[in-house]
Amino acid sequence: MAKKRVQTKAKRPQLSDAEIPVVGAREPCPCGSGRRYKACHGRAAAHAVTELVQRPFAGLPSECDWVALRELVPAATVELPLKGGLPDGVPSVTLATVLPMAWPALRRDDGSVLLGLQNDTASGDISRDLADTLQQALTAKPGTPVQGRRAPADGPRLQDLLDPEGAFEPVVHTGFEFWVPDAENATPEVAASLERANAAAIPTVKLTGVDAAYWCETPDKNHLRWVMPHPEEQLLDALARLHAAGRSNLGEGTRLVGSFRAHGLTVPVWDLPSGVGAEDVEKPAAEFAERLAAALATDAPLTPDERRARGGLTNRQVTLS
């Protein structure tokens, strides 16, 4: 007969959730329960990591521009101010749409930090993942890239690290020369990489007269993609009112064709003739913003024509995230 396991009356040490380290899913849980980690404290950790945050950039200055740079703009940078100022040895922190080799972040030789925005993230909270990458970059050895990882479920978010009063002013670039301090004297390999990246970038311009509106050029036609902060249902009603009244365009030959849904915000899209540049839609966009404000302030029920217009806009809506 097998020997009976000696029972002990000594109590196992009790650990709080915050004291439970993360281990392999199939390993014994460090809390001492005798169960595997994935069946014990790993359940809550996994849920926290995978739970989708619908508006990860809410509460940050210029939330709409964060969404645009994450989903729509090929090449852009923004200087990021940190709460309490920059650490010693870090002259600047710059958000970039894309970094070489799709690095999550890069600590340059001079100590400055580049944080990539358009990378895949390990959890359902982009803000927490980016904050974790930023913290790693601030202490990384100068001249090294930072690799992505699963952020701690209780780690800080961007909203905890960035100065809420700081400006968020995107600079849209025609290419990715911002990757290297001296692009003109780059090595042949770097020059070739830049050439490939620049060839794939869609020419994009940020409008100056309205917030978070970006003109882009494609071979057949141009577009205006405008990230808006209004609640989706209210915005779609307002767009439908304007569309049914024939007042949703941005000038002759332009057409409101639908919208994207990205990170909890709605992004109306207009088709523009190929000859219409960014400067040509500045005034029409400002005039449309006034019409939209009036439509948003209307709470009357939609007419039959407006309901049909709304149905058409809804059917042409695409979810990016």
Side-chain angles (χ1 to χ4, degrees), residues 85-159:
L86 296 169
D88 291 340
V90 180
S92 64
V93 174
T94 303
L95 181 73
T97 48
V98 180
L99 293 179
M101 308 298 293
W103 287 327
L106 172 66
R107 182 87 185 273
R108 282 179 161 165
D109 291 335
D110 66 354
S112 60
V113 168
L114 289 176
L115 176 67
L117 180 58
Q118 294 183 9
N119 295 81
D120 292 334
T121 54
S123 79
D125 187 351
I126 297 171
S127 178
R128 195 180 308 281
D129 290 331
L130 288 171
D132 182 67
T133 300
L134 174 57
Q135 286 189 311
Q136 291 185 74
L138 292 173
T139 58
K141 181 180 178 181
T144 60
V146 174
Q147 301 300 326
R149 67 177 186 182
R150 188 179 73 176
D154 59 350
R157 307 177 74 237
L158 287 174
Q159 289 82 346

Side-chain angles (χ1 to χ4, degrees), residues 173-198:
H173 303 274
T174 57
F176 295 92
E177 282 75 16
F178 63 85
W179 282 354
V180 292
D182 187 5
E184 293 184 357
N185 296 317
T187 64
E189 293 80 6
V190 171
S193 178
L194 280 173
E195 184 177 357
R196 289 192 299 271
N198 290 343

